[in-house]
Amino acid sequence: MSDQPSEASRPPENPGGADTPRPPEPPAAAEAAGTPAANEPGPSEARTAGATPADTARPSPAQASDGRRQRAQAAQQAGQPGSPWQHGAGAPAAKDDGMTARLRPPPPPLIRPAVLGSVLATALLSALFLSDGLGVNLLIVAVPASLAAFFAAQAAGRRLRPWTATWAVGGLALLAVPALRDAGWPTFLAVVSAFALGSLALHGSRSWPGVLIGSLGLFDSVVPGIIWGVRGIRARAGGSRANWGATLRTTAVALVLLVVFGTLFASADAAFAELLSSLMPEASVGAGPWRTLLFALGLAGALAAAHAAAAPVRWDGLTVRPGKPRGRAEWALPLIVLNLLFAAFITLQLVVLFGGYDKVRDVTGLSHAEYARQGFWQLLWATLLTLLVIALALRWAPRGGTGDRTLVRSVLGPLCVLTLVVVASALRRMDLYVDEYGLTRLRISVAAMELWLGVVLILILAAGVFGARFLPRAVAVSAAAGVLAFGLISPDGLIAEQNVQRFEDGRSTSIDIDYVKDLSADAVPALDRLPEPERSCALRFIQNDVLHDDTPWYATSWGEARAKEILEKRPVKGDGSDCYRVGREGAGDGYEPDDDGYDPY
């Protein structure tokens, strides 16, 4: 097709004579882009004047592509945020400039057969593998769902960006935590974080509202995804019924062959029959409704992911208006006073921060537990409130020029540094408490939270030096990396290891059996080192859960499999009658003689 306009699209000759003024010639850029010049009537004005579609100039596809490219470059130069996904040449432009036009992308193209196949595979695998628990089956289901999103984005003319790849790889890595760890709480955090990263990978948000809302944006694509899938199936089924029939016949023949020959081979060899029964999910009539629900959830989730990849909502279009700039003195004086308060507090903290128990007792007159219990939660709240103060200070900071930027950095920079010392003090207090009474789930959780807040403060300091463009995404990456590291280190295993080590070193006269017996199978390798009867008392409940559980391979974690192997070789001894006195003599894990309540951490 020629790039030149057709005869029908050329403007009519001037009917008047030489005295009739001619309209100005359109600029070359507008003519090449196929867009009207500033003095020419737009399409809506031409229709208002009574012009027919044949009288209106219609650009060729190549000219329309050039026009979209030039309009995108002009919008970028004007400071408008661009989409993290790059639109292809065939994506139509928005027709209005309202909120919907900024958020909603053009409709996605017709769903491809590759997308439909990946969606159907996700639904089938969900129904087969997700009914018995969580393990490596989450990764098995996530692979075809990711392929569906990839094929849909490719069909829409969007290409993979580095940050999108980062979100996607991080989400898949987080799904490895359920395959490795038996503990439920790190698994829950990992699954929720993987969902958030997957949603960010599909939407590609970069601003604070985009990252916060985009992490949950996949829910917005559930209903549009189902409608998009139904329309695509109808459109393709109506035009290629012969192909659909061939596909169904091929699938039916393959299933018949698998069932017939699989049954024959299983009856001929017992080892093959055992292998086949361990690999294949168990089918039962009672589990039918539950598997049907999982099939529907897998289908809807995969369609939502594919629709979000083909037409992601641009959550970056949600903008927050900056606050009214304050004067330098009005803005800086309260923060300077806060810095002085932090400095005075930290000066006293440095005396006892690295001095150990003797220094704590000499200066404060408090024991390990009293010192840690007195201040850890207050310092944690102080860290959180400082981050809020920094956010509000940046919102109302003066923005007059270089001098104002220097003032903001010179005031907020020391505040971040002083807050980092507060974080170190809080962690030191927790270390003193753990050294005295051992590690628990709550203690390791709040310590990990405080450590991540310190990482956020470091990122804010880096943003003050290098710019805040990547700060929202960097904070999200740090949170996901923290959840991944938290799951990989096996918190239950670390808790058991620390308490067993204290018992072996003689720092504790006994081990708290009432607590460690409720840990997950991840704690078995460490608890297996305990002497009898402590070992059997600590592992009795875990053995009942592990050895009497017939969970299939795809829903069994590596930690549970390792615990099962250990307990099969060395099962617990006795009937548990000795466990009533074990672990209670000399145990002071948070209990105080003159205190009626239990230590909250």
Side-chain angles (χ1 to χ4, degrees):
M1 179 182 294
S2 174
D3 291 338
Q4 300 295 330
S6 61
E7 293 292 337
S9 63
R10 291 179 180 176
E13 298 293 336
N14 186 14
D19 298 333
T20 305
R22 299 182 62 184
E25 294 293 335
E31 185 176 349
T35 57
N39 296 332
E40 290 184 343
S44 59
E45 296 175 1
R47 285 192 293 268
T48 304
T52 61
D55 298 329
T56 306
R58 180 173 299 171
S60 64
Q63 292 173 333
S65 176
D66 294 339
R68 280 188 293 270
R69 188 178 299 109
Q70 292 181 2
R71 286 194 296 271
Q73 293 175 355
Q76 186 174 3
Q77 294 174 359
Q80 299 178 6
S83 175
W85 292 87
Q86 179 176 347
H87 291 268
K95 296 182 180 181
D96 62 286
D97 297 330
M99 178 64 71
T100 304
R102 292 200 306 268
L103 298 182
R104 294 291 177 183
L110 187 65
I111 190 169
R112 283 187 173 184
V115 178
L116 288 174
S118 300
V119 168
L120 183 60
T122 304
L124 289 174
L125 293 176
S126 300
L128 292 176
F129 292 114
L130 293 184
S131 61
D132 298 301
L134 299 181
V136 72
N137 48 8
L138 281 178
L139 277 173
I140 296 175
V141 173
V143 169
S146 302
L147 290 177
F150 174 76
F151 293 143
Q154 191 178 44
R158 295 175 170 88
R159 69 182 185 185
L160 192 66
R161 295 297 184 91
W163 274 103
T164 303
T166 301
W167 302 129
V169 173
L172 292 176
L174 283 166
L175 291 181
V177 174
L180 296 175
R181 304 302 173 211
D182 180 60
W185 52 304
T187 295
F188 174 78
L189 292 175
V191 172
V192 172
S193 301
F195 177 86
L197 288 193
S199 184
L200 287 175
L202 297 173
H203 295 89
S205 303
R206 63 184 65 181
S207 63
W208 281 113
V211 169
L212 294 176
I213 303 178
S215 60
L216 302 174
L218 192 59
F219 289 110
D220 185 74
S221 301
V222 173
V223 175
I226 295 175
I227 297 175
W228 177 57
V230 171
R231 290 177 178 175
I233 292 175
R234 287 180 178 176
R236 294 192 178 277
S240 56
R241 293 184 178 180
N243 295 335
W244 281 99
T247 302
L248 292 177
R249 288 192 299 270
T250 303
T251 305
V253 171
L255 289 176
V256 170
L257 292 176
L258 285 175
V259 171
V260 172
F261 285 93
T263 304
L264 290 176
F265 290 150
S267 61
D269 191 289
F272 182 79
E274 184 178 357
L275 176 64
L276 194 64
S277 62
S278 63
L279 292 178
M280 295 300 296
E282 181 181 355
S284 61
V285 178
W290 174 236
R291 293 185 186 274
T292 302
L293 177 61
L294 291 175
F295 179 89
L297 292 177
L299 187 70
L303 283 174
H307 184 273
V313 180
R314 302 186 184 100
W315 297 111
D316 285 333
L318 296 174
T319 57
V320 179
R321 293 181 180 180
K324 182 180 178 181
R326 306 296 180 180
R328 294 185 179 182
E330 179 186 1
W331 178 86
L333 283 179
L335 296 175
I336 292 175
V337 172
L338 183 62
N339 281 339
L340 294 176
L341 177 63
F342 269 67
F345 175 78
I346 290 171
T347 301
L348 295 178
Q349 289 293 296
L350 292 177
V351 178
V352 296
L353 185 57
F354 304 106
Y357 173 67
D358 294 334
K359 183 63 66 175
V360 171
R361 184 177 54 188
D362 294 340
V363 174
T364 65
L366 301 176
S367 65
H368 283 72
E370 292 171 341
Y371 180 72
R373 191 166 49 239
Q374 185 188 58
F376 176 81
W377 291 103
Q378 289 88 338
L379 296 182
L380 177 62
W381 278 108
T383 307
L384 291 171
L385 292 177
T386 302
L387 291 175
L388 178 61
V389 169
I390 292 173
L392 295 177
L394 289 174
R395 177 174 175 79
W396 290 310
R399 295 182 289 270
T402 305
D404 290 337
R405 287 194 297 270
T406 303
L407 175 65
V408 171
R409 292 176 179 175
S410 61
V411 173
L412 295 183
L415 181 60
C416 292
V417 174
L418 294 173
T419 309
L420 283 174
V421 181
V422 172
V423 171
S425 177
L427 293 175
R428 176 58 175 167
R429 289 170 182 260
M430 179 55 67
D431 180 65
L432 291 173
Y433 196 84
V434 169
D435 183 69
E436 182 75 16
Y437 292 124
L439 196 59
T440 62
R441 288 176 172 177
L442 183 57
R443 293 166 197 169
I444 194 175
S445 299
V446 295
M449 177 68 177
E450 184 73 15
L451 185 61
W452 176 70
L453 293 177
V455 173
V456 173
L457 288 168
I458 294 175
L459 292 176
I460 293 175
L461 284 172
V465 177
F466 303 104
R469 178 183 178 185
F470 298 108
L471 183 59
R473 289 175 287 185
V475 172
V477 167
S478 68
V483 172
L484 179 60
F486 190 72
L488 293 181
I489 65 173
S490 181
D492 279 9
L494 188 61
I495 292 169
E497 176 68 29
Q498 198 269 352
N499 284 278
V500 170
Q501 189 65 43
R502 292 178 65 252
F503 181 74
E504 292 176 343
D505 295 342
R507 288 180 291 166
S508 176
T509 58
S510 64
I511 190 167
D512 190 354
I513 299 298
D514 286 337
Y515 185 83
V516 298
K517 69 182 178 60
D518 293 328
L519 296 176
S520 65
D522 299 329
V524 170
L527 297 178
D528 185 55
R529 304 203 316 260
L530 289 172
E532 293 293 350
E534 283 83 359
R535 176 187 177 274
S536 294
C537 293
L539 294 178
R540 187 173 305 278
F541 287 95
I542 301 177
Q543 177 177 279
N544 293 335
D545 293 336
V546 171
L547 296 185
H548 297 87
D549 190 9
D550 56 349
T551 304
W553 64 272
Y554 49 81
T556 301
S557 65
W558 177 69
E560 188 176 0
R562 184 176 57 170
K564 185 176 182 180
E565 180 181 359
I566 294 174
L567 292 173
E568 285 178 344
K569 292 181 180 179
R570 295 182 58 199
V572 300
K573 301 177 181 180
D575 56 359
S577 58
D578 295 336
C579 297
Y580 289 100
R581 62 177 179 82
V582 173
R584 289 168 173 81
E585 297 177 0
D589 191 9
Y591 289 97
E592 296 294 339
D594 55 349
D595 190 4
D596 295 333
Y598 183 67
D599 182 5
Y601 51 166

